Short mmCIF file of all heavy atoms in Angstrom, two decimals:
data_model
loop_
_atom_site.label_atom_id
_atom_site.label_comp_id
_atom_site.label_asym_id
_atom_site.label_seq_id
_atom_site.Cartn_x
_atom_site.Cartn_y
_atom_site.Cartn_z
N THR Z 37 72.07 150.61 112.76
CA THR Z 37 71.82 150.92 111.36
C THR Z 37 71.85 149.73 110.44
O THR Z 37 72.64 148.79 110.68
CB THR Z 37 72.87 151.95 110.87
OG1 THR Z 37 74.16 151.42 111.11
CG2 THR Z 37 72.71 153.27 111.56
N TRP Z 38 71.05 149.75 109.38
CA TRP Z 38 71.08 148.74 108.32
C TRP Z 38 70.75 147.32 108.80
O TRP Z 38 70.66 147.12 109.97
CB TRP Z 38 72.43 148.79 107.56
CG TRP Z 38 72.87 150.11 107.04
CD1 TRP Z 38 73.88 150.92 107.54
CD2 TRP Z 38 72.34 150.84 105.88
NE1 TRP Z 38 73.97 152.04 106.76
CE2 TRP Z 38 73.07 152.02 105.78
CE3 TRP Z 38 71.33 150.52 104.93
CZ2 TRP Z 38 72.84 152.92 104.77
CZ3 TRP Z 38 71.12 151.42 103.92
CH2 TRP Z 38 71.80 152.63 103.83
N CYS Z 76 80.55 145.53 104.83
CA CYS Z 76 81.35 146.67 104.43
C CYS Z 76 81.92 147.42 105.58
O CYS Z 76 82.25 148.60 105.52
CB CYS Z 76 80.45 147.66 103.61
SG CYS Z 76 79.75 146.89 102.22
N ASP Z 92 87.56 153.89 110.81
CA ASP Z 92 87.20 155.01 111.70
C ASP Z 92 86.14 154.40 112.71
O ASP Z 92 85.28 153.62 112.32
CB ASP Z 92 86.46 156.12 110.97
CG ASP Z 92 87.32 156.74 109.82
OD1 ASP Z 92 88.53 156.57 109.84
OD2 ASP Z 92 86.67 157.33 108.94
N PHE Z 183 82.70 158.46 96.28
CA PHE Z 183 82.32 159.47 97.25
C PHE Z 183 80.93 159.40 97.74
O PHE Z 183 80.63 159.89 98.82
CB PHE Z 183 82.66 160.88 96.68
CG PHE Z 183 84.06 161.19 96.74
CD1 PHE Z 183 84.91 160.95 95.64
CD2 PHE Z 183 84.65 161.65 97.91
CE1 PHE Z 183 86.28 161.20 95.74
CE2 PHE Z 183 86.05 161.90 98.00
CZ PHE Z 183 86.85 161.64 96.87
N PRO Z 185 77.54 156.98 98.53
CA PRO Z 185 77.05 155.60 98.53
C PRO Z 185 76.14 155.38 97.30
O PRO Z 185 75.34 156.21 97.00
CB PRO Z 185 76.13 155.58 99.84
CG PRO Z 185 76.66 156.73 100.62
CD PRO Z 185 77.13 157.77 99.65
N ASN Z 194 74.52 151.03 98.88
CA ASN Z 194 75.77 150.47 99.35
C ASN Z 194 76.22 151.29 100.56
O ASN Z 194 76.13 152.54 100.55
CB ASN Z 194 76.79 150.72 98.21
CG ASN Z 194 78.16 150.20 98.51
OD1 ASN Z 194 78.29 149.37 99.41
ND2 ASN Z 194 79.14 150.69 97.79
N HIS Z 195 76.61 150.63 101.61
CA HIS Z 195 76.94 151.40 102.80
C HIS Z 195 78.09 150.73 103.55
O HIS Z 195 78.41 149.60 103.31
CB HIS Z 195 75.70 151.45 103.71
CG HIS Z 195 75.10 150.14 103.94
ND1 HIS Z 195 75.55 149.28 104.89
CD2 HIS Z 195 74.09 149.47 103.32
CE1 HIS Z 195 74.82 148.16 104.89
NE2 HIS Z 195 73.91 148.26 103.93
N ASP Z 196 78.70 151.48 104.48
CA ASP Z 196 79.93 151.03 105.04
C ASP Z 196 80.01 151.28 106.51
O ASP Z 196 81.10 151.36 107.06
CB ASP Z 196 81.07 151.82 104.40
CG ASP Z 196 81.07 151.73 102.92
OD1 ASP Z 196 81.48 150.72 102.41
OD2 ASP Z 196 80.58 152.70 102.28
N THR Z 197 78.93 151.38 107.16
CA THR Z 197 78.94 151.78 108.60
C THR Z 197 77.96 151.00 109.39
O THR Z 197 76.86 150.70 108.94
CB THR Z 197 78.57 153.24 108.73
OG1 THR Z 197 79.47 154.08 107.96
CG2 THR Z 197 78.54 153.72 110.21
N ILE Z 198 78.33 150.66 110.67
CA ILE Z 198 77.29 150.30 111.57
C ILE Z 198 77.35 151.30 112.77
O ILE Z 198 78.39 151.57 113.31
CB ILE Z 198 77.35 148.84 112.14
CG1 ILE Z 198 76.17 148.69 113.10
CG2 ILE Z 198 78.73 148.54 112.74
CD1 ILE Z 198 75.67 147.19 113.18
N CYS Z 213 79.94 153.71 116.82
CA CYS Z 213 79.88 153.85 115.37
C CYS Z 213 81.19 153.39 114.76
O CYS Z 213 82.24 153.79 115.27
CB CYS Z 213 79.61 155.34 115.02
SG CYS Z 213 79.11 155.67 113.33
N THR Z 214 81.13 152.54 113.81
CA THR Z 214 82.43 152.00 113.21
C THR Z 214 82.26 151.77 111.75
O THR Z 214 81.21 151.34 111.27
CB THR Z 214 82.86 150.74 114.00
OG1 THR Z 214 84.05 150.26 113.45
CG2 THR Z 214 81.82 149.69 114.02
N THR Z 215 83.30 152.04 110.98
CA THR Z 215 83.21 152.06 109.53
C THR Z 215 84.54 151.87 108.86
O THR Z 215 85.58 152.21 109.51
CB THR Z 215 82.57 153.37 109.03
OG1 THR Z 215 82.30 153.35 107.68
CG2 THR Z 215 83.42 154.58 109.30
N SER Z 216 84.59 151.44 107.59
CA SER Z 216 85.72 151.52 106.79
C SER Z 216 85.71 152.80 105.96
O SER Z 216 86.50 153.01 105.07
CB SER Z 216 85.76 150.33 105.89
OG SER Z 216 84.59 150.31 105.09
N GLY Z 217 84.68 153.57 106.21
CA GLY Z 217 84.48 154.81 105.39
C GLY Z 217 84.01 154.44 104.00
O GLY Z 217 83.63 153.31 103.80
N GLN Z 218 84.07 155.31 103.12
CA GLN Z 218 83.57 155.00 101.75
C GLN Z 218 84.63 154.36 100.92
O GLN Z 218 85.78 154.71 101.00
CB GLN Z 218 83.03 156.28 101.10
CG GLN Z 218 81.73 156.66 101.83
CD GLN Z 218 81.19 157.93 101.35
OE1 GLN Z 218 81.76 158.69 100.56
NE2 GLN Z 218 80.03 158.31 101.88
N GLY Z 219 84.19 153.36 100.17
CA GLY Z 219 85.13 152.63 99.31
C GLY Z 219 85.81 153.54 98.32
O GLY Z 219 85.20 154.46 97.80
N LYS Z 221 87.86 155.88 98.65
CA LYS Z 221 88.07 157.26 99.14
C LYS Z 221 89.54 157.69 98.94
O LYS Z 221 90.41 156.81 98.75
CB LYS Z 221 87.73 157.35 100.63
CG LYS Z 221 88.59 156.44 101.49
CD LYS Z 221 88.04 156.29 102.88
CE LYS Z 221 88.83 155.23 103.68
NZ LYS Z 221 88.27 154.95 105.02
N ARG Z 225 91.40 160.14 103.94
CA ARG Z 225 90.02 160.77 104.16
C ARG Z 225 89.39 160.14 105.41
O ARG Z 225 89.51 158.96 105.70
CB ARG Z 225 89.15 160.35 102.92
CG ARG Z 225 87.72 160.87 103.05
CD ARG Z 225 86.75 159.81 103.56
NE ARG Z 225 85.36 160.24 103.46
CZ ARG Z 225 84.29 159.63 104.01
NH1 ARG Z 225 84.52 158.54 104.72
NH2 ARG Z 225 83.13 160.10 103.93
N VAL Z 226 88.87 161.05 106.24
CA VAL Z 226 88.08 160.58 107.44
C VAL Z 226 86.65 161.10 107.31
O VAL Z 226 86.40 162.26 106.92
CB VAL Z 226 88.73 161.17 108.69
CG1 VAL Z 226 87.87 160.92 109.92
CG2 VAL Z 226 90.15 160.51 108.87
N GLY Z 227 85.73 160.23 107.57
CA GLY Z 227 84.31 160.59 107.47
C GLY Z 227 83.76 161.09 108.77
O GLY Z 227 84.43 161.57 109.65
N ASP Z 228 82.43 160.99 108.90
CA ASP Z 228 81.72 161.52 110.03
C ASP Z 228 81.82 160.57 111.27
O ASP Z 228 81.63 161.00 112.40
CB ASP Z 228 80.26 161.75 109.73
CG ASP Z 228 79.55 160.51 109.24
OD1 ASP Z 228 80.17 159.74 108.41
OD2 ASP Z 228 78.48 160.16 109.71
N SER Z 229 81.94 159.25 110.96
CA SER Z 229 81.76 158.22 112.00
C SER Z 229 82.64 158.45 113.26
O SER Z 229 82.12 158.20 114.33
CB SER Z 229 81.93 156.85 111.44
OG SER Z 229 81.15 156.73 110.28
N PRO Z 230 83.89 158.85 113.17
CA PRO Z 230 84.65 158.95 114.39
C PRO Z 230 84.50 160.43 114.99
O PRO Z 230 85.19 160.70 115.98
CB PRO Z 230 86.06 158.79 113.86
CG PRO Z 230 86.06 159.33 112.54
CD PRO Z 230 84.68 159.05 111.97
N GLY Z 235 78.98 161.86 113.50
CA GLY Z 235 78.44 160.48 113.29
C GLY Z 235 77.85 159.91 114.55
O GLY Z 235 77.03 158.98 114.46
N ALA Z 247 74.67 158.33 112.85
CA ALA Z 247 74.40 158.66 111.40
C ALA Z 247 75.10 157.63 110.51
O ALA Z 247 76.04 157.03 110.88
CB ALA Z 247 74.96 160.08 111.07
N THR Z 248 74.58 157.54 109.30
CA THR Z 248 75.29 156.70 108.23
C THR Z 248 75.05 157.46 106.91
O THR Z 248 74.09 158.25 106.79
CB THR Z 248 74.81 155.29 108.24
OG1 THR Z 248 75.51 154.54 107.23
CG2 THR Z 248 73.28 155.14 108.01
N GLY Z 249 75.83 157.17 105.99
CA GLY Z 249 75.70 157.80 104.66
C GLY Z 249 76.87 158.73 104.38
O GLY Z 249 77.92 158.53 104.93
N GLN Z 250 76.59 159.69 103.51
CA GLN Z 250 77.69 160.56 103.07
C GLN Z 250 78.26 161.44 104.19
O GLN Z 250 77.68 162.42 104.67
CB GLN Z 250 77.09 161.52 102.04
CG GLN Z 250 78.03 162.47 101.42
CD GLN Z 250 78.87 161.87 100.31
OE1 GLN Z 250 78.67 160.70 99.91
NE2 GLN Z 250 79.91 162.54 99.84
N GLY Z 251 79.41 160.96 104.69
CA GLY Z 251 79.98 161.53 105.91
C GLY Z 251 80.25 163.03 105.83
O GLY Z 251 80.07 163.79 106.78
N GLU Z 252 80.73 163.46 104.70
CA GLU Z 252 81.09 164.91 104.53
C GLU Z 252 79.88 165.77 104.81
O GLU Z 252 79.95 166.83 105.47
CB GLU Z 252 81.57 165.17 103.12
CG GLU Z 252 83.01 164.76 102.83
CD GLU Z 252 83.17 163.21 102.69
OE1 GLU Z 252 82.17 162.53 102.68
OE2 GLU Z 252 84.34 162.77 102.58
N ASP Z 253 78.69 165.33 104.41
CA ASP Z 253 77.50 166.12 104.65
C ASP Z 253 76.94 166.08 106.07
O ASP Z 253 76.37 167.00 106.56
CB ASP Z 253 76.41 165.73 103.56
CG ASP Z 253 76.86 166.20 102.16
OD1 ASP Z 253 77.22 167.40 102.06
OD2 ASP Z 253 76.90 165.40 101.29
N VAL Z 254 77.24 164.87 106.62
CA VAL Z 254 76.81 164.75 108.07
C VAL Z 254 77.71 165.66 108.93
O VAL Z 254 77.20 166.36 109.82
CB VAL Z 254 77.00 163.31 108.56
CG1 VAL Z 254 76.66 163.15 110.05
CG2 VAL Z 254 76.08 162.32 107.74
N ILE Z 255 79.01 165.78 108.59
CA ILE Z 255 79.89 166.66 109.27
C ILE Z 255 79.47 168.12 109.14
O ILE Z 255 79.40 168.89 110.05
CB ILE Z 255 81.37 166.51 108.82
CG1 ILE Z 255 81.90 165.08 109.15
CG2 ILE Z 255 82.29 167.57 109.36
CD1 ILE Z 255 83.25 164.75 108.51
N GLN Z 296 73.03 159.65 99.98
CA GLN Z 296 72.20 159.15 100.99
C GLN Z 296 72.73 159.53 102.37
O GLN Z 296 73.96 159.43 102.55
CB GLN Z 296 72.04 157.59 100.86
CG GLN Z 296 71.31 156.87 101.98
CD GLN Z 296 69.80 157.16 102.01
OE1 GLN Z 296 69.40 158.34 102.01
NE2 GLN Z 296 68.93 156.16 102.05
N1 LIG W 401 79.32 157.62 107.00
C1 LIG W 401 80.34 156.84 106.54
C2 LIG W 401 81.45 157.74 106.01
O1 LIG W 401 81.21 158.72 105.37
C3 LIG W 401 79.97 155.92 105.40
C4 LIG W 401 78.63 155.19 105.50
O2 LIG W 401 77.91 155.37 106.45
O3 LIG W 401 78.32 154.50 104.55
O4 LIG W 401 82.59 157.36 106.27
#
Side-chain angles (χ1 to χ4, degrees):
T37 56
W38 304 106
C76 303
D92 302 338
F183 283 94
N194 181 19
H195 52 82
D196 306 283
T197 299
I198 181 151
C213 193
T214 179
T215 186
S216 59
Q218 288 175 355
K221 60 194 175 187
R225 181 262 188 191
V226 170
D228 59 314
S229 307
T248 181
Q250 182 79 8
E252 283 74 6
D253 291 309
V254 176
I255 294 171
Q296 173 67 308

